[in-house]
Amino acid sequence: MAGQHPARDFDDQRFPVSLADAIAATLPELRAHAESLMVDTCTITRASTGAPVVDNNNGTVTPAAPATIYAGPCRVQLPDAVEKAAEAGGDALSVQAAIISLPVAGSEAVAVGDVVTVTSATFDADLADVDYVVRGLHRKSHATARRLRCEEAN
């Protein structure tokens, strides 16, 4: 419409709202919609920096338990069906990329290198107990979900 600023909503001429204000007001609802799609659950852990436990009777060394960084709803998606070939210690591996979506609130402490374990999967039982390694973080101003770039190595 002529004469109207494109970043303004003039449905109510008495109270023009900026686009930024409209997004900020709607963001909680958009996050709720994104979270409604997070029908699976996962636990995200980080290797402990604590000292390992040594059994003096038999010499068994048990690493310190990993720290839980997040436990709650998630959504697992594969951005493509293409796997990468890799090698570790002489073993051939296939590496599958995945996007793990988490609620924005409560998942702020996740870091690159953390391990995501899917603990329950509503629509794909084969997804339960799959481990992914976080390879990239997702930070943005108006995020509706925290989308972690991850890899599954098998």
Side-chain angles (χ1 to χ4, degrees), residues 117-151:
T117 301
V118 178
T119 53
S120 71
T122 301
F123 298 114
D124 183 358
D126 194 41
L127 190 57
D129 297 323
V130 174
D131 290 330
Y132 297 91
V133 177
V134 177
R135 296 297 184 207
L137 302 177
H138 178 259
R139 298 181 181 116
K140 67 187 248 182
S141 297
H142 299 106
T144 56
R146 189 170 314 281
R147 293 172 183 89
L148 305 172
R149 292 187 320 275
C150 299
E151 289 183 340

Side-chain angles (χ1 to χ4, degrees), residues 43-66:
T43 299
I44 301 179
T45 57
R46 182 173 301 145
S48 176
T49 57
V53 176
V54 178
D55 183 331
N56 292 327
N57 294 326
N58 62 19
T60 303
V61 178
T62 305

Side-chain angles (χ1 to χ4, degrees), residues 8-81:
R8 300 251 182 223
D9 176 3
F10 287 90
D11 288 343
D12 184 343
Q13 294 291 326
R14 297 169 299 145
F15 302 103
V17 176
S18 74
L19 180 58
D21 291 342
I23 291 171
T26 308
L27 194 55
E29 180 181 349
L30 296 173
R31 285 182 175 175
H33 285 298
E35 290 175 24
S36 74
L37 296 173
M38 298 177 195
V39 297
D40 302 325
T41 60
C42 68
T43 299
I44 301 179
T45 57
R46 182 173 301 145
S48 176
T49 57
V53 176
V54 178
D55 183 331
N56 292 327
N57 294 326
N58 62 19
T60 303
V61 178
T62 305
T68 298
I69 304 303
Y70 170 85
C74 69
R75 181 180 188 204
V76 180
Q77 293 189 292
L78 302 182
D80 55 54

